[in-house]
Amino acid sequence: MTGYYGEHSKVWVSVDCIIFGFDHGKLELLIGRRQMDPGRGEWSLYGGFVSPEETLEEAASRVLLSLTGLKKVYMRQVGAFSAVDRDPGERVISVAFCALINVKDYDDTLRKEYGLEWVDVQTLPPLYSDHNEMVKQAIGLLRRRIATEPLYFNLLPDLFTLTQLQHVYEAILGEEIDKRNFRKRVKTMHFIEQTSLVDKQTSKRGAQLYRFNKRNLGSSSSFKL
Amino acid sequence: MTGYYGEHSKVWVSVDCIIFGFDHGKLELLIGRRQMDPGRGEWSLYGGFVSPEETLEEAASRVLLSLTGLKKVYMRQVGAFSAVDRDPGERVISVAFCALINVKDYDDTLRKEYGLEWVDVQTLPPLYSDHNEMVKQAIGLLRRRIATEPLYFNLLPDLFTLTQLQHVYEAILGEEIDKRNFRKRVKTMHFIEQTSLVDKQTSKRGAQLYRFNKRNLGSSSSFKL
DNA sequence: CCAAAAGTGTTCCGTCTACACCCATGG
DNA sequence: CCATGGGTGTAGACGGAACACTTTTGG
């Protein structure tokens, strides 16, 4: 402690994780009942305080790892939230992060252990503090980014059908897409590769499985899908 | 102090202001020599610590007001920067804000008082700490937002010529635009109104002056300009 | 009279959109 | 055999990109 900034006050800084998954054809969010005061028992995002020897990104990854067991997850900073009374107990500034995970990779026993639930983003209950606003901004961020970044793969298993991909797309955009136009555009995206495998889970006829190939990403100058 | 979060540590939180202006046909940035240790004398963005009774946005507005005398400035949060050693003195998390101001509204005596300089964003010197990265992200934000938000008016006087508007556009995008195509698109944007006034500063022939009309914003479903 | 900036239309091409029917198969 | 989801093509509209010359006037 060299005391450069001693005349100024410090504040608590936390991170909150907005964890999106795709299941039941919907975009879903992982939330839980808050385990501490103030606000104990309210629906809430999961978060944690930032310690002196970690970055915000590290803190968010730490929280995410503890909740889901997952590392190397797609994650983006949504923004800092700082209303003076946003936390009813103390002055806490929180930085929201959104993460996209593949629900199938996620160990459901961890979910139960923490008492977490997947809820449809369309029918979110009121959340603790400003967490609803955080979610709203996170969805806005996804919508803006999906046109220029292949986000969707993070929400799907390694192999997926075009129908699944389309549903992810529709869930994020919040609107329906024409199947034929969608498939036409996918054909032009060389980082989406057809495999010879067929999925027969959801249809009698069976659907071709596709795969994301990162190596072909550069070759598509712009993916607007 | 109710002591809810006593077991966690607090950190200093600051804001840094990335102040863009448009002059000499370029996008310019207002920077100064750092007045305090550590880093005294290095080129730097201007910032300030967040006090317990203000939000980040309020802190950024306070800094901006003190530097420029301007209130009600267009301002957006760029993001939080939190590398543990980003500040050589102490652990400080900083939230960057970018602001767009009209250079003509700005009192140049204040600039001299603080020892600030306008520098072309294309030829920025190395800045203190991670400030170059903040600027880079801010420019990225402007480029993404300019397609969906009429940012440019914040950089121009109330009355402006189409050539000026085009130059702002080119400065933000970093590429040249065809004059005829540009003017065609402007004609479809009903929130840009022609006035009967003529500016003769820059040409012998004179150029029509235009004005931004907020009331017509809604009527244009999407401004893609 | 000429330099310097303002102003103006058309054509082409590629992209997005709207739209409806056949296919394969398990039960 | 039929219900269910998978898969396919075309035509018209629209928007963006390329492109060059005329106008005005102060000096």
Side-chain angles (χ1 to χ4, degrees):
Chain A
M1 173 91 175
T2 51
Y4 283 120
Y5 308 135
E7 77 265 34
H8 301 286
S9 15
K10 295 180 168 189
V11 296
W12 278 293
V13 176
S14 65
V15 294
D16 284 299
C17 293
I18 303 160
I19 305 172
F20 290 107
F22 181 75
D23 208 3
H24 316 107
K26 305 264 188 189
L27 192 62
E28 295 186 331
L29 196 58
L30 195 62
I31 57 176
R33 296 282 186 181
R34 193 170 152 91
Q35 311 268 348
M36 57 165 122
D37 284 314
R40 188 183 295 271
E42 291 182 43
W43 284 114
S44 169
L45 299 173
Y46 252 74
F49 285 91
V50 177
S51 78
E53 58 285 326
E54 67 182 356
T55 65
L56 292 164
E57 287 73 17
E58 285 161 358
S61 298
R62 172 171 57 76
V63 169
L64 195 74
L65 177 64
S66 72
L67 281 182
T68 65
L70 300 174
K71 284 188 172 195
K72 292 207 203 176
V73 167
Y74 177 91
M75 211 169 203
R76 284 289 176 275
Q77 191 182 125
V78 175
F81 292 75
S82 63
V84 173
D85 59 354
R86 59 174 291 285
D87 187 291
E90 308 269 6
R91 208 293 159 90
V92 180
I93 289 175
S94 189
V95 179
F97 283 82
C98 80
L100 302 182
I101 71 172
N102 170 14
V103 176
K104 302 292 177 235
D105 290 344
Y106 171 50
D107 181 2
D108 214 52
T109 59
L110 265 173
R111 185 180 69 71
K112 286 174 186 142
E113 200 172 296
Y114 282 94
L116 303 178
E117 299 286 344
W118 286 108
V119 299
D120 181 354
V121 294
Q122 298 302 321
T123 58
L124 272 192
L127 303 178
Y128 174 73
S129 182
D130 49 9
H131 290 187
N132 284 292
E133 177 63 20
M134 290 179 177
V135 172
K136 197 176 132 199
Q137 289 195 26
I139 293 174
L141 184 138
L142 294 184
R143 284 196 187 151
R144 269 178 273 122
R145 290 280 171 110
I146 198 171
T148 55
E149 213 178 332
L151 302 170
Y152 16 92
F153 301 110
N154 303 288
L155 294 164
L156 288 170
D158 289 344
L159 294 173
F160 50 85
T161 67
L162 292 185
T163 303
Q164 284 177 297
L165 183 61
Q166 182 176 346
H167 287 332
V168 169
Y169 223 82
E170 292 172 334
I172 292 179
L173 287 182
E175 59 190 28
E176 300 207 335
I177 304 175
D178 180 87
K179 184 167 52 161
R180 284 167 293 184
N181 293 337
F182 181 81
R183 283 163 186 253
K184 231 181 308 166
R185 277 178 293 174
V186 168
K187 278 208 190 85
T188 70
M189 297 161 65
H190 302 301
F191 50 92
I192 300 180
E193 281 182 347
Q194 187 169 356
T195 70
S196 54
L197 303 169
V198 171
D199 173 87
K200 306 207 76 166
Q201 309 255 118
T202 53
S203 89
K204 300 168 180 175
R205 175 177 174 178
Q208 288 293 318
L209 285 164
Y210 287 75
R211 171 201 298 147
F212 176 46
N213 186 338
K214 298 186 222 310
R215 282 176 299 118
N216 292 345
L217 249 184
S219 58
S220 69
S221 50
S222 77
F223 26 91
K224 287 265 292 193
L225 184 60
Chain B
M1 173 93 175
T2 52
Y4 283 120
Y5 308 134
E7 78 263 33
H8 301 286
S9 14
K10 296 180 169 188
V11 295
W12 278 294
V13 176
S14 65
V15 294
D16 283 300
C17 293
I18 302 158
I19 304 172
F20 290 106
F22 181 75
D23 209 0
H24 315 107
K26 305 265 187 187
L27 193 61
E28 295 186 331
L29 195 59
L30 196 61
I31 58 177
R33 296 282 184 179
R34 193 169 152 92
Q35 311 269 349
M36 57 164 124
D37 284 314
R40 187 185 298 269
E42 292 182 42
W43 284 114
S44 167
L45 298 173
Y46 251 75
F49 286 92
V50 177
S51 79
E53 56 285 325
E54 67 183 355
T55 65
L56 292 164
E57 286 74 16
E58 285 160 358
S61 298
R62 172 171 56 75
V63 170
L64 194 75
L65 177 63
S66 73
L67 282 183
T68 65
L70 300 174
K71 285 189 171 193
K72 293 209 201 169
V73 167
Y74 177 90
M75 212 169 202
R76 285 288 176 276
Q77 192 183 126
V78 175
F81 292 75
S82 64
V84 172
D85 59 354
R86 59 174 293 283
D87 186 291
E90 309 269 6
R91 208 292 157 91
V92 181
I93 290 175
S94 189
V95 179
F97 284 83
C98 79
L100 302 181
I101 71 171
N102 170 14
V103 176
K104 302 290 177 235
D105 290 346
Y106 170 51
D107 181 1
D108 214 52
T109 60
L110 265 171
R111 183 180 70 69
K112 286 175 188 147
E113 198 172 298
Y114 282 94
L116 303 176
E117 298 288 344
W118 286 107
V119 298
D120 181 353
V121 294
Q122 298 302 321
T123 58
L124 271 193
L127 304 177
Y128 175 73
S129 184
D130 49 9
H131 290 187
N132 284 292
E133 177 63 21
M134 290 179 176
V135 172
K136 197 176 131 196
Q137 289 196 25
I139 293 174
L141 184 138
L142 294 185
R143 284 197 185 149
R144 269 178 273 118
R145 290 278 170 113
I146 198 172
T148 55
E149 213 178 331
L151 302 170
Y152 15 93
F153 300 110
N154 303 289
L155 293 165
L156 289 170
D158 289 345
L159 295 172
F160 50 85
T161 67
L162 292 185
T163 303
Q164 284 178 299
L165 183 61
Q166 182 176 346
H167 287 331
V168 169
Y169 224 82
E170 291 172 334
I172 292 179
L173 287 181
E175 60 189 27
E176 300 208 333
I177 305 175
D178 180 88
K179 185 166 56 159
R180 283 167 293 185
N181 292 337
F182 182 81
R183 283 162 186 252
K184 232 182 305 165
R185 278 179 294 173
V186 168
K187 278 210 189 83
T188 69
M189 297 163 63
H190 301 302
F191 52 91
I192 299 179
E193 281 181 347
Q194 187 171 357
T195 68
S196 54
L197 303 169
V198 171
D199 173 88
K200 306 206 79 171
Q201 309 256 120
T202 54
S203 90
K204 298 167 180 177
R205 175 175 173 179
Q208 287 293 320
L209 284 164
Y210 287 74
R211 172 200 296 146
F212 177 47
N213 185 338
K214 298 186 215 323
R215 283 177 298 118
N216 292 346
L217 249 184
S219 58
S220 70
S221 50
S222 76
F223 26 89
K224 287 263 290 191
L225 184 60

